[in-house]
Amino acid sequence: MQEPKNGAHPAESVSYIVVESGRNILKGGIVVEAGIKSSSTIHRSGENFNGDSVQFVEAFSSIPVILHGLMTHSNNDFMASFVKNIATDSFTVAMEAAGTGTNSNGEDIGWIALSPGSGSTSDARFMIGSANDGESDGVTGKGQSAHIITLTGFNEPPAIVVSINDITDTDGAWARGGGTSDKDVQEVYAEEDKIGDRDQKHNDEKFGWAAFEKNTILDVDTSAAVSAIALPCGDIGEACKDSNDCCGYCTGSGTCA
C-alpha cells in the first residue's frame, strides 16, 4: 500500500486476481483479456484525461469491465492509474497523480478486461459488472456517499476487486473500499488525495468490479467455440516498446527482461 503522503498505514485486507496476458474464454462463459501497458503519461488534477491507447485482440460483444493498477514502482513514490474511453475494442490508460505532485519516468500498468455477467465458473460463484448511481462518491463532505455494489448468491464475503471505469472528475481519484463489506454488499468510494487541499468531495463515477468466491481457480473452457488467443511475447534481450512485447517486462533500455 502507498499513501499519497507516504505516511504509515495500518494493516488492510487485499483481494487480488491473477491472470496471464492474452485472451481466453473461461468456464462460465467469461471472456477475459489481460495485458500490461508501459506508460509515461501522467494525469494531474484539473487536466484532461489523455491516456495511451490499448487495442483488444478481439472486440467484446458489450462494453467490458476493466480492472487496472500499477505493476511497477519505479518512481518509489505514490502513483495510481486511470482508464478512459472504454469501448468494445479498445480503451485508454495512463498514470494518475491527482493532486499529489508526484512524477515518474514510466510505469507498467496491468489491466484485466472481463465480460460482464454472473453465474458459476469452475464450480464457484462470480459476479462481474459496472455501474454508477448518480450520487457523488467522495470519501468525505456534504452530499457524498458510498457507491453500493449489491452482491447475490455468495455464502460468505467474496474476493472482490474494484476499479473506476471511464473516470470523469478531473480532480482524479482511485477506488477505495470502506464501510460495509460482506457477502451481500461492498461499499466503495472515489478517493482523492488531501495534499493540495483537504477537500475529498468527488463527482459520481462508474465503478467496475469482479467478485469471485475466495481461492477460485479460473479455468479455460476448452469446449468453447472460440479458441483462446495467446499473445506472442519476446524473450530476454529482445527489443521491446512496452511490456506487452515481452514474456517478462520491458526495461527502460528497450529490451525484454
Side-chain angles (χ1 to χ4, degrees):
M1 291 178 287
Q2 177 79 63
E3 290 270 8
K5 286 188 175 182
N6 293 316
H9 196 95
E12 301 279 7
S13 296
V14 179
S15 295
Y16 59 88
I17 299 172
V18 179
V19 177
E20 292 183 348
S21 293
R23 185 181 180 94
N24 285 286
I25 298 178
L26 307 179
K27 291 181 178 179
I30 304 169
V31 180
V32 57
E33 186 171 331
I36 300 173
K37 181 66 174 179
S38 296
S39 177
S40 58
T41 305
I42 301 175
H43 171 262
R44 304 184 188 282
S45 292
E47 297 178 347
N48 292 328
F49 292 100
N50 297 312
D52 302 314
S53 180
V54 175
Q55 197 81 20
F56 296 130
V57 171
E58 184 177 327
F60 285 78
S61 60
S62 61
I63 300 295
V65 171
I66 298 184
L67 309 177
H68 54 94
L70 266 62
M71 303 286 285
T72 55
H73 193 220
S74 300
N75 71 339
N76 199 34
D77 206 340
F78 177 83
M79 193 64 74
S81 59
F82 78 84
V83 295
K84 187 75 173 170
N85 304 314
I86 303 174
T88 56
D89 60 352
S90 62
F91 66 96
T92 57
V93 62
M95 291 181 280
E96 175 64 81
T100 63
T102 57
N103 289 295
S104 175
N105 290 327
E107 303 287 352
D108 286 350
I109 303 172
W111 57 269
I112 304 172
L114 299 147
S115 57
S118 62
S120 178
T121 181
S122 303
D123 299 319
R125 173 70 174 165
F126 75 88
M127 290 187 71
I128 301 167
S130 63
N132 51 351
D133 58 9
E135 302 291 335
S136 297
D137 296 317
V139 176
T140 59
K142 184 177 180 180
Q144 308 296 303
S145 61
H147 178 96
I148 297 175
I149 299 171
T150 301
L151 305 169
T152 59
F154 292 99
N155 295 320
E156 61 179 30
I160 182 169
V161 178
V162 184
S163 293
I164 296 177
N165 279 206
D166 264 326
I167 190 167
T168 59
D169 191 326
T170 58
D171 279 353
W174 42 90
R176 166 194 161 171
T180 304
S181 179
D182 58 29
K183 68 181 182 65
D184 301 311
V185 168
Q186 174 66 60
E187 294 186 357
V188 294
Y189 297 87
E191 183 175 45
E192 296 184 11
D193 66 274
K194 297 189 290 184
I195 293 178
D197 58 61
R198 304 291 293 177
D199 179 18
Q200 285 191 297
K201 293 180 180 179
H202 196 88
N203 294 339
D204 180 38
E205 295 287 5
K206 182 180 181 181
F207 292 91
W209 66 86
F212 295 87
E213 290 183 25
K214 293 176 181 177
N215 302 315
T216 295
I217 302 297
L218 301 176
D219 293 319
V220 173
D221 184 356
T222 56
S223 65
V226 180
S227 61
I229 300 174
L231 297 178
C233 58
D235 292 326
I236 294 174
E238 291 188 17
C240 58
K241 293 182 179 179
D242 60 42
S243 292
N244 282 325
D245 296 333
C246 303
C247 300
Y249 64 94
C250 186
T251 67
S253 60
T255 57
C256 293

